[in-house]
């Protein structure tokens, strides 16, 4: 499944340039760009992401999985769906980028309660900023953040930064894996 996901990410979500032409959120320029949404919103991509992520979450005693909207949403939702298919349900939730100014003012949307053990996910980690924001907001709502998983680790220090906030952190696919497969695909 992981090989198929890497292939799909290379076809739909990964771009590379010998010159640094891609502007990142940080303002830095990069040789490559990863936009996971074409993969995570594809039916087969959802299936692959959901099952691979669920395998990482399985057995961790989690009540729910979620992260900062919008990047984390399809990742978390796919994992929740896969968990039900595997008869080990883990709920999904979403963390807002801005608090509502009406109704019940809160960061987290979903069927989660204070004290529940959760995983924070994200689609891509560069510096880890979005994931760290999600961890902080989940904790502000009283959730116990047990671990964090990112779909694509750009290998630029993000996982190390996230690890300062939660000890168990991992990536499913690395930049090196994507680049190696992209190079193979370019040669054929």
């Amino acid at each position: 499944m992981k090989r198929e996901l890497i292939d799909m990410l290379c076809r739909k979500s990964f771009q590379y340039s010998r010159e640094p032409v891609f502007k990142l959120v940080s303002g830095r320029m990069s040789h490559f760009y990863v936009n996971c949404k074409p993969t995570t919103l594809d039916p087969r991509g959802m299936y692959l992401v959901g099952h691979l992520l669920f395998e990482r979450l399985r057995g961790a005693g989690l009540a729910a999985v979620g992260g900062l909207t919008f990047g984390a949403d399809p990742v978390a939702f796919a994992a929740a769906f896969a968990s039900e298919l595997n008869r080990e349900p883990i709920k999904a939730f979403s963390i807002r980028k801005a608090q509502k100014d009406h109704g019940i003012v809160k960061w987290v949307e979903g069927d989660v309660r204070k004290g529940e053990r959760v995983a924070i996910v994200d689609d891509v980690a560069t510096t880890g900023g979005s994931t760290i924001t999600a961890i902080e907001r989940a904790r502000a709502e009283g959730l116990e953040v047990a671990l964090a998983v990112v779909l694509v680790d750009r290998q630029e220090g993000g996982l190390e930064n996230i690890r300062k906030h939660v000890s168990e952190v991992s990536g499913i696919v690395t930049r090196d894996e994507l680049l190696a497969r992209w190079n193979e695909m370019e040669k054929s």
Side-chain angles (χ1 to χ4, degrees), residues 65-86:
V65 57
L68 198 63
T69 198
F70 171 71
D73 290 343
V75 177
F77 301 164
F81 189 75
S83 75
E84 176 63 25
L85 292 176
N86 284 281

Side-chain angles (χ1 to χ4, degrees), residues 5-23:
L5 177 61
I6 290 171
D7 285 353
M8 182 177 280
L9 286 164
C10 284
R11 285 192 323 272
K12 293 179 171 273
S13 299
F14 182 77
Q15 296 179 49
Y16 178 79
S17 170
R18 297 202 191 291
E19 299 298 320
V21 297
F22 303 106
K23 189 173 185 176

